[in-house]
């Protein structure tokens, strides 16, 4: 059973940075993709980015390009989301999700079958 655990959230001031982690376990696939999503209070879940473990290819949602960077450490089965220049609108629960194969050209949550529990990011002004 694939398990994903997101961590690294917290309270940060506007302008700061965070690196979220997603630890993956329970599988040995070499062609697996991890996506990051976020859900702000009262809003729908929003796709952020996706990375494929086999070739490191990445996809970013148009709405977040520039301040977000997705990375992977295959040796640790850990995937990261670096967020820079945080602003209060980034306040949300951030989730990682995974599934076999490459990232979809347009990231959507139904593509991913396994989900982590989420980590809260709160940005103060």
């Amino acid at each position: 059973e694939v398990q994903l655990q997101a961590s690294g959230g917290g309270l940060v001031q506007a302008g700061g940075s965070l690196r979220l982690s997603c630890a993956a376990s329970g599988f040995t696939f070499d062609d697996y993709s991890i996506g990051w999503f976020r859900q702000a209070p009262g809003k729908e879940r929003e796709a952020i980015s996706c990375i494929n473990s086999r070739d490191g290819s990445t996809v970013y949602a148009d709405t977040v390009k520039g301040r977000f960077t997705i990375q992977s450490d295959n040796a640790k089965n850990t995937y990261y989301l670096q967020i820079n220049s945080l602003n209060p609108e980034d306040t949300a629960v951030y989730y990682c999700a995974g599934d076999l194969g490459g990232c979809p050209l347009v990231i959507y949550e139904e593509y991913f079958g396994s989900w982590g529990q989420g980590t809260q990011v709160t940005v103060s002004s």
Side-chain angles (χ1 to χ4, degrees):
E1 179 185 357
V2 176
Q3 292 186 333
L4 302 172
Q5 185 167 359
S7 62
L11 174 63
V12 295
Q13 288 189 332
S17 299
L18 273 179
R19 188 175 79 159
L20 308 182
S21 300
C22 178
S25 62
F27 70 95
T28 57
F29 314 124
D30 62 358
D31 188 9
Y32 200 79
S33 290
I34 292 289
W36 281 97
F37 295 78
R38 66 181 180 182
Q39 187 165 21
K43 294 188 177 181
E44 293 187 352
R45 193 170 296 180
E46 175 188 20
I48 300 172
S49 186
C50 178
I51 188 166
N52 178 253
S53 65
R54 182 176 60 85
D55 61 8
S57 58
T58 59
V59 177
Y60 290 90
D62 290 340
T63 54
V64 300
K65 284 182 179 178
R67 296 189 298 116
F68 293 74
T69 304
I70 193 169
Q71 300 166 313
S72 66
D73 185 337
N74 289 348
K76 296 181 179 179
N77 263 4
T78 302
Y79 303 81
Y80 304 98
L81 183 69
Q82 177 74 35
I83 314 173
N84 298 325
S85 301
L86 282 156
N87 58 69
E89 290 68 40
D90 294 319
T91 295
V93 178
Y94 285 71
Y95 299 90
C96 60
D99 216 308
L100 293 172
C103 294
L105 293 179
V106 177
I107 308 163
Y108 58 102
E109 58 182 283
E110 291 82 4
Y111 181 85
F112 299 93
S114 298
W115 287 78
Q117 85 288 1
T119 185
Q120 175 71 47
V121 172
T122 303
V123 184
S124 62
S125 58

